[in-house]
């Protein structure tokens, strides 16, 4: 049994993946770091307070967690008000029995011809003072973007599921995938506005070209939103990252590739490229090319 209690990143315990999990050394796109359909408990910078319990067995692990959520969507928690200077009066937690985030994950480890693989099944349930998209749309239609949506707020549940898979093909080649879904009727509270996600990717170590410390990665991500959220954004609503008052809906499609090369024993440098079509689920926007570079030093 492993107990983790305190202030943490929930994503450091749940939804792990050997090939796509760490933006410091692997892919940078959020859809390849975590399952974007999972609105995991966090403040605006990715941390919260809570408890995680893990039951570890030779071939499987069961994890459960209960975490605080911020009082305002994508904002700071009460802990931040103590740790941040100057003091931010907007920081605060939902009352513990009214607002919270729960998550459960079952991890099954196996091997195929001595090549390890893992499947993780995740389920989450959140409760907060959320906007209901269907109730907010008539208010936006009548009063325009920026209207007061408090009448569409109430303590509601948001729930969803995730599938996370990784498989070593040869000693230096692995593949991975994530699938995610949530009910899509209430606003994103902490992570993203995504309701549906699918990703597939490849990771290759550089031993075959005599660079064992290097890694090449290539992956694609599909992100979508529910019909209720489509109507909300088209009416002028805004989410955590999406919404500009005009929506011509289309699935957001991303391809990312990177090459991480070992400069020295503990120093790595990375070149990264992302191509994003229909960003923020909008066919009227993009496409966008994102070029990235990273220098990583471990000590």
């Amino acid at each position: 049994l492993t107990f983790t209690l305190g202030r943490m990143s929930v994503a450091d315990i749940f939804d792990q993946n050997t090939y796509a999990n760490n933006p410091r050394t692997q892919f940078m796109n959020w859809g390849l770091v975590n399952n974007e359909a999972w609105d995991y408990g966090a403040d605006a910078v990715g941390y919260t307070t809570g408890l995680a319990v893990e039951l570890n067995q030779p071939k499987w692990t069961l994890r459960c967690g209960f975490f605080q959520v911020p009082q305002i969507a994508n904002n700071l928690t009460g802990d931040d008000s103590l740790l941040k200077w100057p003091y931010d009066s907007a920081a605060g937690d939902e009352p513990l029995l009214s607002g919270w985030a729960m998550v459960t994950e079952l991890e099954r480890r196996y091997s195929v011809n001595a090549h390890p693989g893992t499947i993780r099944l995740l389920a989450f349930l959140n409760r907060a003072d959320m906007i209901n998209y269907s109730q907010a749309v008539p208010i936006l239609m009548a009063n325009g973007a920026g209207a007061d949506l408090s009448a569409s707020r109430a303590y509601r549940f948001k729930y969803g599921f995730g599938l996370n898979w990784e498989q070593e093909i040869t000693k230096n080649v692995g593949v991975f995938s994530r699938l995610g879904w949530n009910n899509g009727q209430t606003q994103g509270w902490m992570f993203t506005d995504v309701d549906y996600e699918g990703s597939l990717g490849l990771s290759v170590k550089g031993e075959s070209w005599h660079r064992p410390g290097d890694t090449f990665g290539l992956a694609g991500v599909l992100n979508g939103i529910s019909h209720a959220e489509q109507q909300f954004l088209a009416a002028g609503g805004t989410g955590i990252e999406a919404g500009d008052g005009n929506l011509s809906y289309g699935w957001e499609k991303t391809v990312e590739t990177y090459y991480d090369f070992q400069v020295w024993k503990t120093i790595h440098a990375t070149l990264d490229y992302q191509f994003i079509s229909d960003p923020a689920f909008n066919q009227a926007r993009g496409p966008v090319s994102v070029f990235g570079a990273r220098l990583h030093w471990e000590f």
Side-chain angles (χ1 to χ4, degrees):
L1 280 171
T2 302
F3 294 87
T4 307
L5 174 64
R7 186 165 174 79
M8 70 191 82
S9 169
V10 179
D12 282 345
I13 299 175
F14 297 86
D15 195 38
Q16 295 285 293
N17 191 288
T18 299
Y19 307 111
N21 195 76
N22 189 346
R24 298 172 183 85
T25 59
Q26 299 169 329
F27 296 95
M28 294 183 178
N29 189 279
W30 281 9
L32 297 169
V33 175
N34 291 112
N35 194 323
E36 286 193 280
W38 171 34
D39 195 16
Y40 69 86
D43 64 6
V45 291
Y47 297 91
T48 191
T49 300
L51 168 67
V53 181
E54 302 172 80
L55 173 60
N56 301 286
Q57 295 296 305
K59 292 187 177 181
W60 58 269
T61 298
L62 179 64
R63 303 180 179 92
C64 297
F66 184 87
F67 303 97
Q68 289 181 319
V69 300
Q71 196 169 32
I72 300 173
N74 194 37
N75 211 299
L76 301 176
T77 61
D79 294 340
D80 293 304
S81 65
L82 302 174
L83 300 171
K84 179 176 178 291
W85 186 89
Y87 174 79
D88 189 340
S89 60
D93 298 313
E94 287 279 20
L96 189 59
L97 298 181
S98 299
W100 35 259
M102 292 196 298
V103 58
T104 299
E105 183 179 61
L106 177 62
E107 175 180 300
R108 178 67 165 87
R109 297 175 291 276
Y110 63 91
S111 62
V112 177
N113 297 325
H115 296 294
T118 305
I119 295 177
R120 301 173 182 88
L121 300 174
L122 179 145
F124 77 90
L125 178 67
N126 299 343
R127 190 173 191 267
D129 188 19
M130 302 176 185
I131 292 171
N132 177 276
Y133 292 134
S134 297
Q135 293 180 14
V137 168
I139 300 174
L140 291 168
M141 296 294 288
N143 300 284
D148 181 4
L149 299 178
S150 57
S152 66
R153 289 189 177 280
Y155 279 96
R156 296 185 169 92
F157 294 107
K158 191 180 189 76
Y159 59 89
F161 305 94
L163 173 67
N164 179 331
W165 170 70
E166 62 181 72
Q167 177 64 58
E168 184 182 84
I169 304 302
T170 66
K171 179 183 176 183
N172 297 299
V173 179
V175 294
F176 65 90
S177 179
R178 283 186 175 95
L179 297 174
W181 174 92
N182 68 56
N183 59 321
Q185 301 303 305
T186 54
Q187 70 183 114
W189 196 251
M190 293 161 287
F191 187 31
T192 71
D193 304 303
V194 174
D195 298 321
Y196 319 126
E197 180 190 319
S199 67
L200 179 65
L202 172 75
S203 179
V204 182
K205 288 289 187 181
E207 188 166 330
S208 61
W209 57 91
H210 311 294
R211 295 280 303 175
D214 294 6
T215 305
F216 166 76
L218 175 65
V221 187
L222 287 173
N223 287 329
I225 56 175
S226 67
H227 182 66
E229 187 173 355
Q230 293 174 39
Q231 292 181 313
F232 173 75
L233 296 179
T238 56
I240 295 174
E241 301 153 327
D244 60 5
N246 179 29
L247 181 70
S248 176
Y249 178 68
W251 282 70
E252 182 184 80
K253 299 169 281 292
T254 303
V255 175
E256 180 178 359
T257 185
Y258 76 90
Y259 190 90
D260 178 275
F261 53 96
Q262 187 177 33
V263 178
W264 192 60
K265 293 179 180 179
T266 58
I267 300 176
H268 284 247
T270 303
L271 296 176
D272 184 279
Y273 173 70
Q274 299 179 55
F275 179 83
I276 306 169
S277 177
D278 305 330
F281 328 108
N282 199 337
Q283 293 177 336
R285 304 288 178 254
V288 177
S289 288
V290 181
F291 298 89
R294 177 176 60 207
L295 183 65
H296 182 77
W297 177 33
E298 293 185 2
F299 57 92

